[in-house]
Amino acid sequence: QVQLVESGGGLVQAGDSLRLSCAASGGTFSWYSMAWFRQAPGKEREFVAVCNWNGGRTNYADSVKGRFTISRDNAKKLVYLQMNSLKPEDTAVYYCAGKNFPDISAIDSVVPVKYEYWGQGTQVTVSS
């Protein structure tokens, strides 16, 4: 079955950068739309970024535009989230998500239940 495993989280200071990775297995990764969501304690799961099958189309939450970049390497079955200029409000568990469809619509892309596959998350903590 399809499995997604996130890595790269950690504790950093405001203004620092982190690069998250999501490794996929057990599926046809090159056909998936891939996304990142995050969830802070006591809050709903929040859309962060999405890309289509080849990374040619991307979309970002307003809160991370200009700071975060989603990318993918289909040969390695990896998706990345480069996070720059981190802020304390970026603190959350970050989840990788996949949909078995090559080009998810912009409307569907921000809705968690539209994704079939989820990782277990990686913690990102940004201190002041």
Side-chain angles (χ1 to χ4, degrees), residues 27-33 52-54 72 74-75 77 101-102:
T28 309
F29 179 77
S30 61
W31 287 90
Y32 300 165
S33 297
N52 69 347
W53 68 279
N54 66 353
R72 65 193 296 163
N74 285 348
K77 302 180 72 172
F101 189 80

Side-chain angles (χ1 to χ4, degrees), residues 8-107:
L11 173 63
V12 298
Q13 297 181 26
D16 285 353
S17 297
L18 278 176
R19 185 180 180 88
L20 306 183
S21 297
C22 173
S25 63
T28 309
F29 179 77
S30 61
W31 287 90
Y32 300 165
S33 297
M34 298 296 298
W36 290 93
F37 288 76
R38 65 188 182 186
Q39 189 166 22
K43 298 182 67 177
E44 297 293 326
R45 192 160 296 189
E46 175 189 27
F47 169 77
V48 176
V50 65
C51 65
N52 69 347
W53 68 279
N54 66 353
R57 183 178 65 82
T58 61
N59 196 23
Y60 299 90
D62 288 342
S63 59
V64 306
K65 284 180 180 177
R67 299 189 298 120
F68 291 11
T69 303
I70 188 171
S71 61
R72 65 193 296 163
D73 185 335
N74 285 348
K76 297 180 178 180
K77 302 180 72 172
L78 290 171
V79 60
Y80 305 101
L81 185 67
Q82 178 67 46
M83 305 185 295
N84 298 327
S85 302
L86 283 162
K87 305 175 181 179
E89 52 263 44
D90 295 318
T91 295
V93 177
Y94 282 71
Y95 296 92
C96 180
K99 182 174 179 62
N100 189 15
F101 189 80
D103 200 351
I104 190 172
S105 72
I107 294 173

